[in-house]
Amino acid sequence: MVRTPNTPSPKAGPVTLAMVARRAGVSPQTVSNALNSPDLLRPETLERVRRTIDEMGYRPHRAAQTLRTRSSKLIGYGIRPTAPGASAPVMDRFLHALSQTADAAGYRILLFASPPPEGPDALDGYEELLDLHHVDGFVLSGTDRGDQRQAWLQKRDVPFVGFGRMWAGRQIGDWVDVDGASGTDAAVEHLVARGHRKIAFLGWPRGSGVGDDRAEGWQRAMRRHGLPIRSRRAYSVDDITSAQAAAVPLLEAGATAVIAASDMLALGCYHALRERGAVAGADVAVVGFDDSPTAALLSPGLSTVAQPLEAVGRECVRLLLARMGEPGRAPERVLLEPSLVVRHSTPALGD
């Protein structure tokens, strides 16, 4: 390896802040400002220091940085166990997007086990992390009715942002969500344009905020087109076997198309059709929600509503960092549009 006078020797140990300062021709305080208070530097100075940091591979010592700034650069995210028979590919994709965006901002996501947010021990993990001063803020998901976390964190002046609205009571804090009603509305429009009029909805049991939102979009669009909704709605937990049983009455009532509140429910509908000797797409159109990895692998490929998870991750980090920087700012709520991914499960009626 050709080594210039400014390149640290492989035997010299880790690159230090002082070494970066010498190479960039600035003081150690200027390097510190570039890392912690970049707005204090002139743009050309900031660019030179950042370029030197990248070239030398300098990484700040996290423990020392925490002592100086009282910031751990860690964001807490509670992981809940997946129910038996259910799948969580959407949350996996969200967590990846969240981690990437946090990393780009100089933060890391700290995962911890989290009980259901409406349970008696829902706050234990959050309280433990705060007692140990391990996190600067939290990202919440699964913000169902009865969630205690938002009010608890706000009372303690702890920054947080929710992936999901609060579905009951007073709205607290910042959140980012996907407009599920808009997604199922678009699915109805797609099916109507393809000649369908008997469009059923296979959703989650009433009381689920996200599920009720998706059902509302279907109902709204059906009414707009003057289409009947009575006897065209069924309920199931997010489980293939349960969804298969719930889809049978819809098919027996003559539905030519079924919109499901999730890809898992749509897969149950596929099974119900197969049990009747019918084929999704050829005999009954099916639309899912979430664009899970399974959707493209099914035969036929499942038309489904995709959530903009990368945008959700970016917005969650943006709102959380803004809340950390300005605790008194007005709450910000962001509602993002999903998109319909059309595959072979929704041909025109009669094709």
Side-chain angles (χ1 to χ4, degrees):
M1 179 182 72
V2 177
R3 187 163 59 88
T4 68
N6 286 328
T7 305
S9 166
K11 297 180 180 180
V15 177
T16 66
L17 184 144
M19 293 164 65
V20 173
R22 284 196 299 272
R23 181 164 177 176
V26 298
S27 68
Q29 182 60 52
T30 298
V31 178
S32 178
N33 287 342
L35 294 167
N36 303 306
S37 304
D39 53 304
L40 297 178
L41 302 181
R42 293 195 303 273
E44 58 271 21
T45 302
L46 179 61
E47 172 61 25
R48 184 167 78 254
V49 173
R50 283 179 170 173
R51 186 169 59 249
T52 305
I53 287 171
D54 290 341
E55 290 172 353
M56 299 185 70
Y58 172 66
R59 294 292 179 269
H61 190 281
R62 185 172 296 278
Q65 192 177 44
T66 297
L67 288 173
R68 285 196 309 271
T69 66
R70 297 187 178 273
S71 170
S72 66
K73 297 293 184 181
L74 294 174
I75 296 171
Y77 180 78
I79 295 287
R80 288 188 287 166
T82 301
S87 175
V90 172
M91 295 313 297
D92 288 346
R93 288 163 56 199
F94 162 70
L95 185 55
H96 183 263
L98 184 75
S99 300
Q100 274 192 325
T101 311
D103 182 68
Y107 285 79
R108 294 291 184 272
I109 301 297
L110 176 64
L111 304 181
F112 63 97
S114 175
E118 65 278 1
D121 53 353
L123 303 171
D124 289 354
Y126 296 86
E127 190 162 23
E128 180 179 353
L129 288 181
L130 291 174
D131 286 344
L132 296 174
H133 306 289
H134 276 176
V135 295
D136 295 333
F138 292 95
V139 175
L140 314 177
S141 64
T143 54
D144 298 324
R145 289 184 170 91
D147 199 326
Q148 312 166 55
R149 296 172 296 174
Q150 294 93 333
W152 188 88
L153 291 168
Q154 185 183 61
K155 184 177 179 180
R156 287 156 180 78
D157 295 322
V158 178
F160 69 90
V161 62
F163 173 17
R165 284 162 273 182
M166 296 185 66
W167 294 103
R170 181 171 62 93
Q171 296 291 306
I172 300 174
D174 307 300
W175 54 252
V176 182
D177 203 3
V178 176
D179 193 342
S182 176
T184 50
D185 188 310
V188 172
E189 289 294 337
H190 169 68
L191 292 168
V192 167
R194 298 203 165 191
H196 293 276
R197 295 297 180 271
K198 298 177 180 179
I199 304 170
F201 184 78
L202 178 57
W204 295 319
R206 293 181 188 271
S208 156
V210 174
D212 291 349
D213 185 46
R214 295 178 185 181
E216 171 59 30
W218 164 78
Q219 188 170 283
R220 180 178 70 202
M222 293 287 283
R223 285 177 172 162
R224 188 168 61 246
H225 287 282
L227 302 177
I229 60 176
R230 190 172 181 178
S231 76
R232 299 238 182 266
R233 181 174 177 179
Y235 306 92
S236 170
V237 295
D238 213 32
D239 169 83
I240 295 174
T241 303
S242 299
Q244 179 178 345
V248 171
L250 300 177
L251 302 175
E252 290 178 343
T256 65
V258 177
I259 297 173
S262 72
D263 289 350
M264 182 73 71
L265 297 185
L267 184 54
C269 189
Y270 269 51
H271 285 210
L273 285 164
R274 188 177 302 120
E275 188 180 49
R276 295 165 60 87
V279 178
D283 298 296
V284 175
V286 182
V287 180
F289 202 115
D290 288 333
D291 195 23
S292 62
T294 304
L297 301 177
L298 291 174
S299 181
L302 176 65
S303 295
T304 181
V305 179
Q307 301 196 56
L309 295 174
E310 290 74 16
V312 172
R314 287 194 299 270
E315 286 297 298
C316 280
V317 173
R318 180 183 69 81
L319 291 184
L320 184 57
L321 295 183
R323 177 63 55 195
M324 292 175 184
E326 189 181 348
R329 69 195 296 268
E332 187 174 349
R333 284 86 190 234
V334 178
L335 195 59
L336 299 173
E337 283 288 319
S339 58
L340 182 65
V341 180
V342 178
R343 298 192 177 98
H344 297 295
S345 68
T346 55
L349 189 63
D351 281 4

